[in-house]
Amino acid sequence: AQSVSQHNHHVILSEAASLELGCNYSYGGTVNLFWYVQYPGQHLQLLLKYFSGDPLVKGIKGFEAEFIKSKFSFNLRKPSVQWSDTAEYFCAVTPYTGRRALTFGSGTRLQVQP
Amino acid sequence: KAGVTQTPRYLIKTRGQQVTLSCSPISGHRSVSWYQQTPGQGLQFLFEYFSETQRNKGNFPGRFSGRQFSNSRSEMNVSTLELGDSALYLCASSLAGTGDHEQYFGPGTRLTVT
């Protein structure tokens, strides 16, 4: 069975700082990778996704992530965070079988201070 | 286009009772998945339905069940409720049963078991 590790549980940054959240997965086959965000009081929203092709994917709100297959990693980045980025971020993976069973990481709570 | 809707949004039940939660997917989406979110266990996959058939099931006891109707709406049922079933139950819909399609999440149903 696959698993996802998010090493940073709680990150505190000042506005304009750069962000990188780590995500590693364990699965021997081809995977689809996702980052979801949950803003306070809101439902899960898709930030970005990787299915195939260019390993550097760009998502909404200036976020991007890089899939490094050799490291089983899919780290999320943003060059300059804003107070409105305060939220919980979840990395998720599903095997490339067409099934929809997402395996989520434990989440990273990001707090951006103005 | 309307998003995924879930009813009810909040529910309080007593141990031993049963509960039914409802999910209406985005129009045209035929795959519906259910997840449980708790502070301790995070986001965990319950099951997925496509074309009224359960295609995938997570590691939950048989007290958790679901079904999907011909209009793709889905319900999940939890029988003999336990205190540990208190959680946010999320429904996600996807365009198709196979291929590269992301899941869109609803706002969830907050279940409290007393």
Side-chain angles (χ1 to χ4, degrees), chain B residues 87-110:
Chain B
L88 181 66
Y89 289 89
L90 297 171
C91 169
S93 76
S94 181
L95 185 61
T98 59
D100 299 338
H101 292 288
E102 60 266 32
Q103 297 180 56
Y104 296 87
F105 283 82
T109 293
R110 172 81 57 190

Short mmCIF file of all heavy atoms in Angstrom, two decimals, chain B residues 87-110:
data_model
loop_
_atom_site.label_atom_id
_atom_site.label_comp_id
_atom_site.label_asym_id
_atom_site.label_seq_id
_atom_site.Cartn_x
_atom_site.Cartn_y
_atom_site.Cartn_z
N ALA B 87 -16.36 12.80 13.18
CA ALA B 87 -15.40 13.20 12.14
C ALA B 87 -16.09 14.11 11.15
O ALA B 87 -17.31 14.30 11.19
CB ALA B 87 -14.85 11.97 11.40
N LEU B 88 -15.28 14.64 10.25
CA LEU B 88 -15.79 15.35 9.08
C LEU B 88 -15.79 14.35 7.93
O LEU B 88 -14.74 13.78 7.61
CB LEU B 88 -14.91 16.55 8.74
CG LEU B 88 -15.35 17.41 7.55
CD1 LEU B 88 -16.67 18.11 7.85
CD2 LEU B 88 -14.26 18.43 7.20
N TYR B 89 -16.92 14.12 7.34
CA TYR B 89 -17.03 13.16 6.22
C TYR B 89 -17.11 13.96 4.92
O TYR B 89 -18.03 14.76 4.73
CB TYR B 89 -18.23 12.24 6.42
CG TYR B 89 -17.99 11.27 7.55
CD1 TYR B 89 -18.35 11.61 8.85
CD2 TYR B 89 -17.35 10.06 7.33
CE1 TYR B 89 -18.09 10.75 9.91
CE2 TYR B 89 -17.08 9.19 8.37
CZ TYR B 89 -17.45 9.55 9.66
OH TYR B 89 -17.18 8.70 10.70
N LEU B 90 -16.16 13.70 4.07
CA LEU B 90 -16.03 14.43 2.82
C LEU B 90 -16.40 13.56 1.64
O LEU B 90 -16.05 12.38 1.59
CB LEU B 90 -14.59 14.93 2.64
CG LEU B 90 -14.09 15.90 3.70
CD1 LEU B 90 -12.59 16.14 3.52
CD2 LEU B 90 -14.83 17.22 3.61
N CYS B 91 -17.08 14.17 0.72
CA CYS B 91 -17.42 13.51 -0.54
C CYS B 91 -16.65 14.22 -1.65
O CYS B 91 -16.47 15.45 -1.61
CB CYS B 91 -18.93 13.63 -0.76
SG CYS B 91 -19.50 13.14 -2.39
N ALA B 92 -16.19 13.45 -2.61
CA ALA B 92 -15.47 14.03 -3.74
C ALA B 92 -16.01 13.43 -5.02
O ALA B 92 -16.29 12.22 -5.08
CB ALA B 92 -13.98 13.75 -3.63
N SER B 93 -16.15 14.25 -6.05
CA SER B 93 -16.62 13.70 -7.32
C SER B 93 -15.57 13.92 -8.40
O SER B 93 -14.74 14.83 -8.32
CB SER B 93 -17.96 14.32 -7.73
OG SER B 93 -17.83 15.65 -8.22
N SER B 94 -15.64 13.07 -9.40
CA SER B 94 -14.69 13.10 -10.49
C SER B 94 -15.44 12.86 -11.79
O SER B 94 -16.45 12.15 -11.81
CB SER B 94 -13.62 12.03 -10.27
OG SER B 94 -12.67 12.04 -11.29
N LEU B 95 -14.88 13.41 -12.87
CA LEU B 95 -15.58 13.39 -14.14
C LEU B 95 -15.85 11.99 -14.64
O LEU B 95 -16.94 11.68 -15.10
CB LEU B 95 -14.78 14.17 -15.18
CG LEU B 95 -15.43 14.35 -16.55
CD1 LEU B 95 -16.74 15.12 -16.42
CD2 LEU B 95 -14.49 15.06 -17.49
N ALA B 96 -14.84 11.14 -14.56
CA ALA B 96 -14.98 9.82 -15.15
C ALA B 96 -14.38 8.77 -14.24
O ALA B 96 -13.73 9.08 -13.26
CB ALA B 96 -14.31 9.78 -16.52
N GLY B 97 -14.60 7.54 -14.57
CA GLY B 97 -14.11 6.47 -13.73
C GLY B 97 -12.66 6.14 -13.97
O GLY B 97 -12.01 5.56 -13.12
N THR B 98 -12.13 6.49 -15.11
CA THR B 98 -10.73 6.19 -15.40
C THR B 98 -10.07 7.42 -16.01
O THR B 98 -10.73 8.40 -16.33
CB THR B 98 -10.61 5.02 -16.40
OG1 THR B 98 -11.29 5.38 -17.61
CG2 THR B 98 -11.22 3.76 -15.82
N GLY B 99 -8.81 7.34 -16.14
CA GLY B 99 -8.10 8.45 -16.77
C GLY B 99 -7.68 9.51 -15.77
O GLY B 99 -7.90 9.40 -14.57
N ASP B 100 -7.07 10.54 -16.30
CA ASP B 100 -6.49 11.59 -15.46
C ASP B 100 -7.53 12.64 -15.11
O ASP B 100 -7.65 13.64 -15.78
CB ASP B 100 -5.32 12.24 -16.19
CG ASP B 100 -4.23 11.24 -16.49
OD1 ASP B 100 -4.17 10.20 -15.81
OD2 ASP B 100 -3.43 11.50 -17.41
N HIS B 101 -8.28 12.39 -14.08
CA HIS B 101 -9.28 13.36 -13.66
C HIS B 101 -9.18 13.59 -12.17
O HIS B 101 -9.22 12.65 -11.39
CB HIS B 101 -10.68 12.89 -14.03
CG HIS B 101 -10.92 12.85 -15.50
ND1 HIS B 101 -11.06 13.98 -16.26
CD2 HIS B 101 -11.01 11.82 -16.37
CE1 HIS B 101 -11.24 13.65 -17.52
NE2 HIS B 101 -11.22 12.35 -17.62
N GLU B 102 -9.06 14.86 -11.79
CA GLU B 102 -8.93 15.16 -10.38
C GLU B 102 -10.28 15.10 -9.69
O GLU B 102 -11.33 15.10 -10.31
CB GLU B 102 -8.31 16.55 -10.19
CG GLU B 102 -9.12 17.67 -10.80
CD GLU B 102 -8.66 18.02 -12.21
OE1 GLU B 102 -8.20 17.09 -12.92
OE2 GLU B 102 -8.76 19.20 -12.59
N GLN B 103 -10.21 15.04 -8.37
CA GLN B 103 -11.41 14.98 -7.56
C GLN B 103 -11.73 16.35 -6.98
O GLN B 103 -10.83 17.07 -6.57
CB GLN B 103 -11.22 13.98 -6.41
CG GLN B 103 -11.02 12.55 -6.92
CD GLN B 103 -10.83 11.57 -5.81
OE1 GLN B 103 -11.67 11.45 -4.91
NE2 GLN B 103 -9.72 10.87 -5.84
N TYR B 104 -13.01 16.66 -6.95
CA TYR B 104 -13.48 17.92 -6.39
C TYR B 104 -14.25 17.59 -5.11
O TYR B 104 -15.17 16.77 -5.13
CB TYR B 104 -14.38 18.65 -7.38
CG TYR B 104 -13.66 19.07 -8.64
CD1 TYR B 104 -13.53 18.21 -9.71
CD2 TYR B 104 -13.07 20.33 -8.73
CE1 TYR B 104 -12.86 18.58 -10.86
CE2 TYR B 104 -12.39 20.72 -9.87
CZ TYR B 104 -12.29 19.84 -10.93
OH TYR B 104 -11.60 20.21 -12.06
N PHE B 105 -13.88 18.28 -4.05
CA PHE B 105 -14.43 17.96 -2.74
C PHE B 105 -15.60 18.86 -2.37
O PHE B 105 -15.64 20.05 -2.73
CB PHE B 105 -13.35 18.07 -1.67
CG PHE B 105 -12.41 16.91 -1.64
CD1 PHE B 105 -11.35 16.84 -2.53
CD2 PHE B 105 -12.60 15.85 -0.75
CE1 PHE B 105 -10.47 15.75 -2.52
CE2 PHE B 105 -11.74 14.77 -0.74
CZ PHE B 105 -10.69 14.72 -1.64
N GLY B 106 -16.52 18.29 -1.62
CA GLY B 106 -17.62 19.04 -1.04
C GLY B 106 -17.22 19.63 0.30
O GLY B 106 -16.11 19.40 0.78
N PRO B 107 -18.12 20.36 0.93
CA PRO B 107 -17.81 21.02 2.21
C PRO B 107 -17.78 20.06 3.40
O PRO B 107 -17.26 20.40 4.46
CB PRO B 107 -18.95 22.03 2.36
CG PRO B 107 -20.07 21.44 1.59
CD PRO B 107 -19.45 20.70 0.44
N GLY B 108 -18.35 18.88 3.21
CA GLY B 108 -18.32 17.89 4.29
C GLY B 108 -19.55 17.92 5.18
O GLY B 108 -20.29 18.90 5.22
N THR B 109 -19.72 16.82 5.87
CA THR B 109 -20.73 16.71 6.93
C THR B 109 -20.00 16.47 8.23
O THR B 109 -19.23 15.51 8.35
CB THR B 109 -21.70 15.54 6.67
OG1 THR B 109 -22.48 15.80 5.51
CG2 THR B 109 -22.62 15.34 7.87
N ARG B 110 -20.21 17.36 9.18
CA ARG B 110 -19.56 17.21 10.50
C ARG B 110 -20.46 16.36 11.38
O ARG B 110 -21.54 16.78 11.76
CB ARG B 110 -19.36 18.60 11.13
CG ARG B 110 -18.88 18.58 12.57
CD ARG B 110 -17.41 18.36 12.70
NE ARG B 110 -16.59 19.34 11.99
CZ ARG B 110 -15.28 19.21 11.82
NH1 ARG B 110 -14.65 18.16 12.32
NH2 ARG B 110 -14.58 20.12 11.17
#
